[in-house]
Structure formats: structure tokens, C-alpha cells
Amino acid sequence: MRRWMSMSCCVLLALAGCSSPRREPPPPPDLASLASPCEFLRDAERESLGLGPGALTSAPGLAGGAETTMCLYREAQPRDGAGAYVDSVSVSFLPASLEVAEQALEEVEGRGLFTAGRMSPFAAAPDGVLQREGTRLGEATCERLFAVRPDRAVQVGLTVERLPLGERACEVATRLAPVVDARIPRPTPD
């Protein structure tokens, strides 16, 4: 009898919405305060995209400025079957204003330093974020550029494997990696 009573109470509580509290995901990290670009995606987020842990690298700064750091998240395991998927996500912290970062990245592209592909010039996407697309090492690539504080721009690059014919890399990347897209701040009107 007691067992039946306790089961009945549990059922009634569940029906009344008194079940155990749901665990809401923590709020996204504050991009302006991150110490490393490898903190851009949480483990569960990168795993949901099929990506392995991020690998941190550094490079000379833009236009001779402070060092640039980049985190590259690559596909954890090769995928079988058909359909487009995000092969990698790169996140670069550029110690410069948005304008300086955009100009420096365009100059690098203009000098032809990337011989294994070409990207279009940066332009404002419908959501206001600067983006460009093209190929890098034969892979369809979308790069988005935004500022998180006056002295830090962030460049996020997504490569898409098996890009459907006639579709644009940035549209497909946004659809396949909504968690990355949601993390990118939109510019506010002046």
C-alpha cells in the first residue's frame, strides 16, 4: 500500500509540473573576457558538432602588432555517408580594432599569401556581421569577423565538407553550426 501511495504521489507531482528542476545550460561565455580562443566552445557544444578538442597556436600579429592566437577544432572522426557537415572551426583572437583587423586580413589575402584558395572581400552579412567566403585548401570556407572590445577582434572560420551544389558556404555553416552562430555578437545600430 505504501509503495502504491508513493508511486501515486510521484505521478501526481510529475503531472502537476513538480518534477525535479531542469538544468538550464550556463550562459554563454563573455567573449571580451576570455583568455584563450579555445574557450569559445564548451566541450558539449564542440562534441555536438562532431569536433575534437581545440588546438591552440600563435602567430605574429597583424601589421606587426601583438601576437595573434588561434584555436582550431577539427573533426573528431571521419564521417561516412552523404550530407554536408562542419569539418573544422577556427577561432582567432586578433589584438586590434575591427577596422584594423579587417584591413590587415584583406591585405594578406590581396598579397596572395594563401595559395591554396581565395576568399571574397569582407562584406556585411544580413545580420550585420562582416563575413567572407571562398575556399581554403580546397574546402568551402566561411569566415566571420567581429569585435568583442575596442582592442580585440575575433575571426571565426568554418569549413564545410560536401557543400551542396549551388549553396553558399556561410549559409550552410550557419545552418549546420547554430551554436557557433549564436555565439557571435551582432552589431548594434549607432
Side-chain angles (χ1 to χ4, degrees):
M1 178 76 169
R2 278 189 188 185
R3 186 173 185 199
W4 180 84
M5 292 277 291
S6 67
M7 286 176 34
S8 297
C9 287
C10 289
V11 169
L12 289 175
L13 288 172
L15 290 174
C18 298
S19 60
S20 61
R22 288 187 186 182
R23 295 182 104 186
E24 293 294 323
D30 174 20
L31 298 180
S33 64
L34 294 182
S36 166
C38 285
E39 298 171 2
F40 185 81
L41 290 176
R42 295 184 191 107
D43 289 344
E45 293 168 336
R46 86 175 155 69
E47 289 169 2
S48 74
L49 296 172
L51 302 174
L56 187 64
T57 60
S58 60
L62 299 173
E67 185 176 78
T68 296
T69 55
M70 181 181 84
C71 185
L72 180 62
Y73 303 94
R74 294 218 40 95
E75 176 184 35
Q77 294 181 329
R79 299 188 195 184
D80 295 328
Y85 64 92
V86 173
D87 176 60
S88 69
V89 174
S90 64
V91 180
S92 299
F93 283 0
L94 310 169
S97 69
L98 181 61
E99 294 77 23
V100 169
E102 178 186 7
Q103 182 180 6
L105 291 168
E106 292 289 6
E107 285 175 14
V108 168
E109 191 72 32
R111 286 186 285 181
L113 298 178
F114 295 111
T115 58
R118 298 292 296 165
M119 299 294 284
S120 64
F122 280 106
D127 62 5
V129 177
L130 290 175
Q131 75 180 24
R132 64 182 180 181
E133 53 193 347
T135 60
R136 290 274 188 248
L137 300 172
E139 294 184 343
T141 303
C142 174
E143 293 179 354
R144 304 200 80 195
L145 182 65
F146 52 94
V148 294
R149 57 185 200 212
D151 65 340
R152 179 186 287 172
V154 177
Q155 180 184 19
V156 174
L158 299 102
T159 60
V160 178
E161 282 288 327
R162 303 182 189 140
L163 181 70
L165 215 58
E167 292 197 49
R168 301 181 63 89
C170 288
E171 291 170 1
V172 173
T174 298
R175 185 175 71 239
L176 295 175
V179 67
V180 174
D181 185 59
R183 191 66 39 86
I184 297 172
R186 301 326 192 238
T188 54
D190 293 332

